[in-house]
Amino acid sequence: VSLQLRGYPCWCILTDGSQLGNCRSAVSGLLVIEKHVIGRNGSSLGKLFVATEPAELDSAITSDAMQMASCLIAQAIDTRQLYSDLLHRSEFDLLTDMPNRFCFEKRLDTLIFESEQRGGTFGLIYVDVDDFKLVNDLYGHRTGDIYLQKMALRLQHQLRSADTLARLGGDEFALLLPNIGGKKDVEEIRSRLARCFQKPFLIDGETIQGKASMGIALYPEDAIDKDSLLNIADADMYAIKQAKGIRPYENLSMRNNKAVETLIN
């Protein structure tokens, strides 16, 4: 815009407060004109400003330049927002807004690599909600969704800032616990997570007693690769579920044949 208007200052102030462009502190003798930048959904994204000579105020060149610039700014912001939304959707669960399976496995790969380099130890906890199908059948899917959201928040509140809680899908969650001293520490965290469900969940006037089965694995004591760690934690979780009298095969994901073989053996 400045080039088209003989170098007159032009700048943009966005709704987040950021300022871009050539804004001179002194514009004596010039008139400042502005134009709203409107997004695809009709919302204001900011304002475009030009300081120009009074004679140029109503010229077609000034008007055309500002119209073109405001459209390009809006397109750039909308495109960036769309990209950010798509990136977030690819890595975070839509229901709980926590990392999804794809993001979890990326972080697990990174943690394995970093632990190999420095000789570190970390824990993995696999969580499966008990009788979740029954909650859906009794109270409906909306209540079931809220139940999962509240359960995820309770789990999250028990963790450190460096820990990762992810929803792998359905009623399955997983936790990554870096910088763990040993399996005793992981077992202690598992016990703390189980205790956070002692208080029932109140949802739309209904009282639901939360229950979950949790299996653990420790790197490098139990395994040193991603699939083996997940298999061991998964098998441990289903063994605990079976000990409770819950038939593990009803909801067992066949992504993990090794977990099935472990249980059978």
Side-chain angles (χ1 to χ4, degrees):
V1 174
S2 290
L3 287 173
Q4 289 191 42
L5 301 182
R6 296 186 294 163
Y8 288 130
C10 177
W11 64 97
C12 180
I13 299 178
L14 304 181
T15 52
D16 64 2
S18 59
Q19 180 173 302
L20 306 170
N22 175 23
C23 175
R24 294 195 308 215
S25 58
V27 288
S28 59
L30 299 178
L31 291 178
V32 176
I33 56 177
E34 64 182 59
K35 184 174 182 60
H36 283 277
V37 178
I38 305 300
R40 185 175 56 243
N41 61 359
S43 63
S44 176
L45 302 176
K47 290 182 179 181
L48 177 68
F49 299 87
V50 170
T52 186
E53 298 282 356
E56 303 288 345
L57 186 61
D58 297 319
S59 73
I61 294 177
T62 301
S63 178
D64 289 347
M66 294 193 72
Q67 177 64 28
M68 175 199 68
S70 65
C71 290
L72 290 174
I73 291 169
Q75 184 179 31
I77 295 174
D78 285 339
T79 301
R80 180 63 185 183
Q81 185 61 54
L82 177 61
Y83 170 77
S84 297
D85 290 345
L86 289 173
L87 183 62
H88 186 83
R89 287 170 178 266
S90 73
E91 296 192 342
F92 287 83
D93 174 57
L94 295 180
L95 179 66
T96 62
D97 201 35
M98 292 179 174
N100 59 18
R101 180 185 293 274
F102 172 71
C103 183
F104 173 81
E105 293 193 356
K106 280 206 311 182
R107 294 188 184 184
L108 178 54
D109 285 332
T110 299
L111 193 53
I112 289 173
F113 175 77
E114 292 175 348
S115 298
E116 286 176 346
Q117 300 302 306
R118 66 171 188 267
T121 299
F122 68 86
L124 188 156
I125 300 180
Y126 202 103
V127 181
D128 187 270
V129 180
D130 294 339
D131 298 324
F132 179 66
K133 184 178 183 301
L134 184 60
V135 173
N136 273 336
D137 291 343
L138 288 176
Y139 306 110
H141 289 280
R142 177 182 176 277
T143 297
D145 286 347
I146 297 174
Y147 176 49
L148 287 178
Q149 290 171 335
K150 289 179 175 289
M151 181 168 281
L153 286 175
R154 283 202 192 175
L155 290 170
Q156 185 68 56
H157 289 160
Q158 302 302 314
L159 303 179
R160 305 163 299 174
S161 59
D163 300 334
T164 295
L165 171 65
R167 183 186 179 209
L168 303 187
D171 58 356
E172 296 180 337
F173 296 86
L175 299 94
L176 286 179
L177 310 170
N179 303 319
I180 289 293
K183 184 160 288 188
K184 183 178 179 180
D185 293 338
V186 183
E187 291 171 345
E188 185 177 315
I189 293 173
R190 174 170 61 179
S191 297
R192 187 170 75 237
L193 294 172
R195 288 195 298 271
C196 81
F197 298 138
Q198 290 178 349
K199 182 180 178 181
F201 295 88
L202 300 177
I203 304 173
D204 294 337
E206 302 289 351
T207 300
I208 303 174
Q209 183 59 58
K211 296 179 293 181
S213 299
M214 307 181 193
I216 64 175
L218 187 70
Y219 174 96
E221 180 178 322
D222 293 324
I224 59 173
D225 64 272
K226 177 177 67 179
D227 289 340
S228 296
L229 284 167
L230 288 169
N231 289 339
I232 290 170
D234 201 12
D236 186 39
M237 179 271 293
Y238 276 109
I240 291 171
K241 192 178 286 284
Q242 190 176 38
K244 293 179 181 179
I246 302 172
R247 295 181 62 187
Y249 301 106
E250 292 178 355
N251 298 314
L252 186 58
S253 169
M254 294 311 292
R255 71 167 178 80
N256 191 350
N257 290 328
K258 290 184 179 178
V260 178
E261 294 172 2
T262 301
L263 284 173
I264 293 174
N265 293 334

